[in-house]
């Protein structure tokens, strides 16, 4: 009996020991996989870095109690290349980094200086002031300073002369010049051509200058007008003018239709100067950001006006976070001045937002490290390798993708003279051909007349030219001669 109990006790003890050993092995295997994925593990003796960052879409976001985003993917790629483990923490005061009133640095810059973090992987702008106290790697993203607006707050109101908008001022000027030149050529050719005006002293020329202007205006509006041209030279000019007007009207109608359909996207605020001059929208930026200090230190008069506006109203126009800025733009008459690449994302995620065309202050986002840190150069080389391999472009496309980006982003603009250059050239060639044809017609008549009167062709041609171009004077002289003969 005692032997049986002893045997049973040994069997149970052995089973329990084997089970515990199996579970321990499984746990160790799972830990090894996790550590391998996170690039941590005491058995690998990897250097551990404390990484500070800031919550900003799409760089770092919280999803299901985990961090994800562009910077998190970038950090994973760097850790895989340089073989280090890391621990990510969100900056305590929620700021990027600026000098406070007591002379200390806030935000992520302050945490690196206080050695609370080894590196900062975030949309942190490389500036000279920050470079004096910490070090930056090669920028992993290029950006600038832009203006984020809501479309319905900046849609341009229809002016009283909105029908002139399809063409630029230069195009309208060129059209007016082409019209006057064509009418003058029509008037001259109709006088020079003997097929149009055979007997200057006895016939009336229907193509007077006023009639020529009326003929050109009628063709411009696709209305049939008189007088009807008879000579080949006059018909050449009339035909080329008709071709010009048809193409011009087609371009006008197409551009005017595009203007009406995209009128909500015509921004009266195209530049920072436009932003300063308007009074409808308030504007501001992130409090203590590099953008704010860019305007503060700039010598540009427009930039100084922007800084003075924001500084006087800093409690009202400066925002604490990027999310607050986007929300304020969407809900009020507010324009946000900030990083253009972040604004592109906001415009992609919220289709009622748009970024103004002008971008100033080209800059980059870099990884911040302590001065003289051995990681600065290693990280810079790794960033360059990721850029050369196309991984940075992949991450950019991955986190900036949106349905709004698939919509047409072409902006309407008035039609410039360059777009109609071929049309104006065709008109000029047609006018030249018409004038040459009229001269040929007149020279043929002069040659035949010279044979009858026994004079040189050139003298007859010159007389015909003077007669046709000064017909009123010749008529007056003829009337005076007739009056004297009757007397």
């Amino acid at each position: 009996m005692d032997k049986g109990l002893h045997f049973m006790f040994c069997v149970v003890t052995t089973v329990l020991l084997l089970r515990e050993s199996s579970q321990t092995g499984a746990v160790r295997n799972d830990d090894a996989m996790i550590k391998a994925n996170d690039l941590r593990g005491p058995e690998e003796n990897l250097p551990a870095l404390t990484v500070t960052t800031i919550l900003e879409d799409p760089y770092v976001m919280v999803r299901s109690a985990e961090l994800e985003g562009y910077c998190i993917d970038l950090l994973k790629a760097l850790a895989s290349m340089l073989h280090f483990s890391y621990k990510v923490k969100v900056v305590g005061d929620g700021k990027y980094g600026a000098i406070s009133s007591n002379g200390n640095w806030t935000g992520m810059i302050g945490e690196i200086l206080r050695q609370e973090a080894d590196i900062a992987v975030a949309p942190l702008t490389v500036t000279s002031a920050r470079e004096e106290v910490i070090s930056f790697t090669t920028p992993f993203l290029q950006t600038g300073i832009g203006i984020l607006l809501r479309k319905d707050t900046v849609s341009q109101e229809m002016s009283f002369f909105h029908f002139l908008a399809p063409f630029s001022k230069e195009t309208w000027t060129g059209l007016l010049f082409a019209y006057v030149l064509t009418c003058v050529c029509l008037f001259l050719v109709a006088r020079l051509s003997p097929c149009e005006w055979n007997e200057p002293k006895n016939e009336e020329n229907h193509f007077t200058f006023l009639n020529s202007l009326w003929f050109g205006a009628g063709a411009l509006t696709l209305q049939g007008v008189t007088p009807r041209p008879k000579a080949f030279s006059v018909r050449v000019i009339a035909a080329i003018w008709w071709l010009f007007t048809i193409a011009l009207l087609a371009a006008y109608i197409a551009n005017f239709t595009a203007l009406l359909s995209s009128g909500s996207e015509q921004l009266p605020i195209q530049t920072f100067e436009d932003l300063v001059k308007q009074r409808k929208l308030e504007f501001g930026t992130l409090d203590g950001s590099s953008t704010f200090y860019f305007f503060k230190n700039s010598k540009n008069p427009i930039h100084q006006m922007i800084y003075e506006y924001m500084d006087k109203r800093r409690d009202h126009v400066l925002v604490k976070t990027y999310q607050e800025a986007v929300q304020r733009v969407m809900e009020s008459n507010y324009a946000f001045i900030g990083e253009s690449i972040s604004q592109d994302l906001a415009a992609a995620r919220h289709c009622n937002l748009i970024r103004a065309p002008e971008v100033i202050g080209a800059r980059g986002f870099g990884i911040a490290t302590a001065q003289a840190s051995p990681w600065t150069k290693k990280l810079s080389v790794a960033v360059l390798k990721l850029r050369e391999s196309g991984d940075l472009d992949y991450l950019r496309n991955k986190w900036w993708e949106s349905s709004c980006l698939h919509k047409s982003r072409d902006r309407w603009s008035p039609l410039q003279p360059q777009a109609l250059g071929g049309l104006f050239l065709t008109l000029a060639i047609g006018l030249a051909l018409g004038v040459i044809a009229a001269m040929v017609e007149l020279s043929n008549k002069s040659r035949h007349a010279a044979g009858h009167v026994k004079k040189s062709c050139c003298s007859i041609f010159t007389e015909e030219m003077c007669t046709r171009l000064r017909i009123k004077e010749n008529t007056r002289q003829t009337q005076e001669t007739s009056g004297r003969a009757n007397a």
Side-chain angles (χ1 to χ4, degrees):
M1 184 67 180
D2 292 337
K3 292 181 178 180
L5 292 176
H6 179 71
F7 177 77
M8 288 296 297
F9 176 78
C10 291
V11 170
V12 172
T13 303
T14 303
V15 170
L16 291 176
L17 289 174
L18 290 174
R19 182 179 179 183
E20 182 179 356
S21 175
S22 175
Q23 289 179 347
T24 304
V27 170
R28 286 179 179 175
N29 289 335
D30 292 340
D31 288 344
M33 293 179 60
I34 295 173
K35 290 172 183 177
N37 291 334
D38 289 345
L39 298 176
R40 301 189 187 98
E43 70 276 10
E44 296 183 11
N45 296 321
L46 295 178
L49 298 180
T50 301
V51 182
T52 181
T53 189
I54 192 170
L55 295 178
E56 181 176 330
D57 188 13
Y59 303 99
V60 179
M61 301 170 288
V62 178
R63 299 283 172 84
S64 302
E66 294 183 356
L67 295 178
E68 66 174 17
Y70 178 94
C71 289
I72 300 300
D73 287 351
L74 174 63
L75 184 59
K76 290 179 180 178
L78 293 173
S80 176
M81 294 177 65
L82 300 179
H83 305 289
F84 64 84
S85 62
Y86 58 86
K87 175 184 177 183
V88 181
K89 62 186 292 288
V90 178
V91 60
D93 57 6
K95 295 183 179 181
Y96 291 86
I99 301 178
S100 61
S101 57
N102 57 12
N104 296 325
W105 281 84
T106 62
M108 292 177 283
I109 307 297
E111 290 191 351
I112 292 179
L113 291 176
R114 295 188 298 270
Q115 298 183 354
E116 298 175 6
D118 298 304
I119 63 174
V121 182
L124 192 60
T125 306
V126 180
T127 64
S128 59
R130 292 171 177 171
E131 191 76 46
E132 290 180 354
V133 294
I134 61 171
S135 296
F136 280 100
T137 65
T138 300
F140 57 84
L141 269 181
Q142 298 294 334
T143 183
I145 299 176
I147 308 171
L148 185 65
L149 308 158
R150 195 172 79 247
K151 291 180 180 179
D152 57 355
T153 60
V154 295
S155 58
Q156 194 170 12
E157 297 180 356
M158 297 292 182
S159 64
F160 190 71
F161 295 98
H162 198 61
F163 66 94
L164 298 177
F167 291 161
S168 64
K169 295 179 181 179
E170 294 80 6
T171 304
W172 283 115
T173 303
L175 174 59
L176 180 61
F177 177 78
Y179 166 69
V180 174
L181 180 62
T182 302
C183 294
V184 170
C185 290
L186 197 64
F187 168 72
L188 292 176
V189 169
R191 283 181 168 271
L192 294 176
S193 175
C195 300
E196 189 70 40
W197 198 23
N198 190 31
E199 294 295 335
K201 296 181 180 180
N202 301 326
E203 294 181 2
E204 180 183 0
N205 190 339
H206 297 291
F207 276 95
T208 64
F209 185 67
L210 289 179
N211 284 347
S212 299
L213 291 175
W214 181 248
F215 181 90
L220 192 59
T221 56
L222 301 182
Q223 301 298 317
V225 293
T226 55
R228 300 182 182 277
K230 296 181 292 183
F232 173 77
S233 55
V234 181
R235 289 179 178 179
V236 167
I237 293 180
I240 207 69
W241 177 246
W242 291 339
L243 177 64
F244 177 83
T245 55
I246 290 174
L248 194 73
L249 287 175
Y252 177 86
I253 293 173
N255 217 31
F256 193 58
T257 303
L259 170 63
L260 294 178
S261 62
S262 63
S264 61
E265 296 184 2
Q266 304 315 304
L267 297 179
I269 300 177
Q270 301 279 337
T271 64
F272 284 88
E273 184 176 358
D274 296 335
L275 183 65
V276 172
K277 290 180 178 179
Q278 59 84 37
R279 293 293 180 267
K280 182 179 179 182
L281 298 179
E282 296 179 325
F283 54 88
T285 187
L286 288 174
D287 188 13
S289 64
S290 60
T291 301
F292 180 80
Y293 288 100
F294 170 84
F295 288 100
K296 180 179 180 180
N297 300 325
S298 175
K299 303 300 181 182
N300 188 304
I302 300 298
H303 300 170
Q304 280 295 308
M305 293 174 64
I306 293 177
Y307 167 72
E308 292 173 0
Y309 175 90
M310 294 190 298
D311 189 49
K312 290 179 181 178
R313 303 167 177 81
R314 60 185 310 136
D315 294 335
H316 183 60
V317 300
L318 297 183
V319 294
K320 301 299 182 183
T321 64
Y322 178 77
Q323 290 78 10
E324 178 188 350
V326 173
Q327 196 68 23
R328 188 167 177 180
V329 172
M330 296 178 62
E331 296 178 353
S332 63
N333 292 337
Y334 181 77
F336 173 62
I337 302 175
E339 303 293 346
S340 59
I341 194 169
S342 300
Q343 294 176 348
D344 289 338
L345 176 71
R349 298 284 175 86
H350 309 281
C351 297
N352 62 330
L353 300 182
I354 189 171
R355 179 175 60 80
E358 186 180 32
V359 176
I360 62 175
R363 51 182 57 192
F365 293 154
I367 299 174
T369 65
Q371 287 186 336
S373 171
W375 290 100
T376 306
K377 186 173 182 179
K378 295 180 181 179
L379 291 170
S380 294
V381 174
V383 168
L384 289 175
K385 290 182 179 179
L386 290 174
R387 179 179 298 166
E388 292 169 357
S389 63
D391 290 339
L392 292 184
D393 293 331
Y394 168 76
L395 292 180
R396 172 73 164 80
N397 297 331
K398 172 184 176 181
W399 292 104
W400 268 258
E401 184 180 4
S402 174
S403 59
C404 295
L405 292 176
H406 299 295
K407 299 181 179 179
S408 175
R409 298 180 67 90
D410 295 334
R411 293 176 52 78
W412 177 91
S413 61
L415 205 59
Q416 300 296 325
Q418 293 83 353
L420 301 175
L423 193 59
F424 281 97
L425 179 61
T426 303
L427 177 63
I429 295 174
L431 296 181
L433 290 177
V435 173
I436 292 173
M439 300 295 286
V440 171
E441 292 171 350
L442 183 59
S443 64
N444 287 335
K445 180 184 178 182
S446 300
R447 188 172 64 253
H448 291 302
H452 293 293
V453 298
K454 306 300 181 180
K455 290 184 178 181
S456 66
C457 180
C458 291
S459 61
I460 296 296
F461 183 82
T462 304
E463 290 177 4
E464 284 285 343
M465 288 278 291
C466 294
T467 301
R468 292 171 181 276
L469 296 180
R470 295 187 234 174
I471 188 61
K472 292 185 176 180
E473 181 180 349
N474 293 338
T475 303
R476 192 179 299 111
Q477 292 176 356
T478 303
Q479 291 176 352
E480 291 178 356
T481 304
S482 300
R484 291 174 183 172
N486 294 334

